[in-house]
Structure formats: structure tokens, C-alpha cells
Amino acid sequence: MNKNKKVLSIVLVGLMTAVMCVISPISVPIGTVPISFQILALYLVLYVLDWKRSTIAVLLYLILGAVGLPVFAGYVGGIAKLTGPTGGYLVSYIPFAIICGIVFDRFPIEEAETAKDKAVRCVIHFAAMLVGTAVCYTLGTAWFCIQASYSVGAALAICVIPFIPFDIAKGIVAMIVGPQIRKALKKANLR
């Protein structure tokens, strides 16, 4: 990788970390776990960057939140938020980024040559989102159960079930917008 490409890579990682920091705190409080835009921000990062740089952006986002910047849902930050009952959902963004990022990179929607190929790639992306979200739900719920002393059923009722439709909607929005952003970046020779 030449020097200009390295600089561009660093700039894009920093930019997408900033995007996560700006979008992720926006939330609608509905209970113990708010409806936030963190997952949508993560999806967009995954469409803009490759899986390795996306994972770095997620790690930087988590570090910025851990040191106290108000970048988590509800404009909060600090190590207590990261290690508290809902911290497992945040930490699970790392495997989430790896899983979805690898699939998004391997099967780019914007490179589909036919409508059928595009439909297949969309299904593959959506399946990756479901798997990534399932990992997020599993790790986050296990962490929540341990930290908050809830049963699995009670934790699922509070932390997962109400959010499934919203996370599906976020995935659909990202699948529509993300490939267009990726295509524009490739056309501008920025990806």
C-alpha cells in the first residue's frame, strides 16, 4: 500500500469512527435498553470500509466511549457504561463487525451483474445481518443476565424482543443506502 493509500485508509477509519460517534448516541428511551441508531451506524461503517478497517473503527468508537466521551446511546460514555448491564451489546459490535464485514466484502451488492445476482447478494447480506445481530443479542443478553441478575426470559423480553423489528428496519435501510455509498466511493477511487 503506497503512502497516499495509507493516509486515505487512516482518514476513512477516522471519519467512520466519527460517524459512529455522531449517529450512535441518538436514541429513543423505551425502557432499560433504548432504541438507538448504533446498529444503523455500524451497518453504514461496514458498507464504507472493509471488514478490517470497520473493526478498527468499532474498536476506536468503544475506546472513545470507554474514556468518557458521550458516544453511546443516550449521549453517555465511560467505562461504567461499557462494563455495566448493557455493555455486552456494545462489546459484541466487534464480532458483529467481523461477521458482517467479511460477508459484505465477499458479496458486494453494488457489483452484482444481474437482477438475480443482486437479489441473491441482498439475501446474503440480510442473512449476515441476522447472524451478526443474533451474536450481538446472544452476547449482550448473557452479559445483561450476569450483570443485572435477570433470567434469560426476562432479559430477552426487555433487551431483545422489542428491538427485533427496529433492527430489521435498520438493516433494510442500510442495505438500500450502504451499497450506493460504497459504489460512489469506488467510483471516486476512495475505496
Side-chain angles (χ1 to χ4, degrees):
M1 185 182 293
N2 68 33
K3 187 176 180 178
N4 289 338
K5 291 273 188 187
K6 286 181 184 178
V7 170
L8 176 62
S9 180
I10 291 167
V11 168
L12 286 175
V13 168
L15 178 64
M16 294 316 295
T17 302
V19 165
M20 284 191 73
C21 290
V22 169
I23 294 174
S24 294
I26 303 168
S27 64
V28 179
I30 64 164
T32 305
V33 182
I35 296 172
S36 75
F37 289 93
Q38 289 170 308
I39 295 290
L40 178 60
L42 181 55
Y43 286 141
L44 294 177
V45 168
L46 291 164
Y47 276 109
V48 171
L49 303 173
D50 61 37
W51 76 269
K52 291 177 186 175
R53 291 184 294 163
S54 295
T55 304
I56 293 168
V58 169
L59 286 168
L60 290 171
Y61 164 73
L62 293 173
I63 290 167
L64 291 170
V67 299
L69 290 177
V71 297
F72 298 142
Y75 295 93
V76 298
I79 195 73
K81 183 67 176 175
L82 200 57
T83 60
T86 59
Y89 296 102
L90 293 167
V91 173
S92 71
Y93 291 170
I94 297 167
F96 185 106
I98 294 168
I99 292 165
C100 289
I102 289 172
V103 173
F104 290 8
D105 289 350
R106 176 75 175 96
F107 301 98
I109 293 172
E110 71 280 359
E111 291 181 11
E113 294 181 9
T114 65
K116 182 179 178 182
D117 186 30
K118 184 176 183 175
V120 168
R121 289 172 188 241
C122 285
V123 169
I124 291 169
H125 279 225
F126 193 70
M129 290 178 186
L130 291 176
V131 170
T133 303
V135 168
C136 183
Y137 286 164
T138 301
L139 295 174
T141 302
W143 188 307
F144 186 85
C145 289
I146 293 166
Q147 291 285 326
S149 299
Y150 273 66
S151 68
V152 172
L156 289 173
I158 294 170
C159 302
V160 175
I161 294 168
F163 301 95
I164 293 172
F166 297 105
D167 287 341
I168 289 171
K170 292 172 203 172
I172 291 168
V173 168
M175 226 172 15
I176 293 167
V177 175
Q180 298 304 318
I181 295 170
R182 185 182 266 197
K183 185 176 183 177
L185 288 171
K186 283 184 177 180
K187 188 174 183 178
N189 203 23
L190 295 174
R191 188 172 197 288

